[in-house]
Amino acid sequence: QVKLVESGGGSVQAGGSLRLSCAISGYTYCRSDMSWYRQAPGQEREFVAGIDNDGSSTYADSVKGRFTIAQDKAKITLDLQMNNLRAEDTAMYYCKRTRPRGSKCLPEDTYWGQGTQVTVSS
């Protein structure tokens, strides 16, 4: 079974830092595109950062220069280093695993973790 478990969330002051981690299990031999999304109360879930199977990273404009996405060598952990946090970064953060286009390795196209809460006070 494919499972994603986020951790590392918490409460910090504006300007502080947090490092989120996503533990990936199941079908770890399959190629995957990974990403982080977040959702604040009353808001739609939005893309934060992504890293494709080849290691190329992309970021939402709102976090560019402050957040860094990375994956370990074995591709069983996805991290999001968040620096210079702002109140508007407050949200539930979700790890997402996606089957690359053209791949049949993963049973489904998309998998989500349960989320980890990030709260930034100002």
Side-chain angles (χ1 to χ4, degrees), residues 3-20:
K3 188 176 182 180
L4 304 172
V5 180
E6 300 95 333
S7 63
S11 298
V12 297
Q13 293 180 304
S17 299
L18 282 174
R19 188 176 185 89
L20 306 183

Side-chain angles (χ1 to χ4, degrees), residues 12-121:
V12 297
Q13 293 180 304
S17 299
L18 282 174
R19 188 176 185 89
L20 306 183
S21 293
C22 173
I24 305 163
S25 60
Y27 293 87
T28 55
Y29 54 86
C30 295
R31 293 184 293 114
S32 300
D33 296 330
M34 302 296 304
S35 59
W36 287 95
Y37 282 69
R38 67 187 182 187
Q39 187 168 23
Q43 303 294 319
E44 294 183 347
R45 189 169 298 185
E46 65 176 355
F47 172 81
V48 176
I51 184 166
D52 65 21
N53 185 66
D54 295 324
S56 299
S57 300
T58 57
Y59 298 91
D61 288 341
S62 60
V63 307
K64 197 169 297 181
R66 300 187 299 120
F67 291 9
T68 303
I69 189 170
Q71 195 164 26
D72 70 312
K73 181 181 178 180
K75 299 187 183 297
I76 59 173
T77 304
L78 179 74
D79 291 341
L80 183 68
Q81 179 65 48
M82 305 186 295
N83 298 326
N84 301 314
L85 284 162
R86 305 198 274 250
E88 52 263 43
D89 295 318
T90 295
M92 184 73 74
Y93 283 71
Y94 298 91
C95 176
K96 180 185 180 183
R97 185 181 185 186
T98 303
R99 181 170 61 191
R101 193 78 177 178
S103 175
K104 297 181 180 180
C105 191
L106 285 171
E108 298 182 15
D109 286 333
T110 304
Y111 301 89
W112 292 93
Q114 83 290 339
T116 185
Q117 179 67 40
V118 171
T119 302
V120 184
S121 60

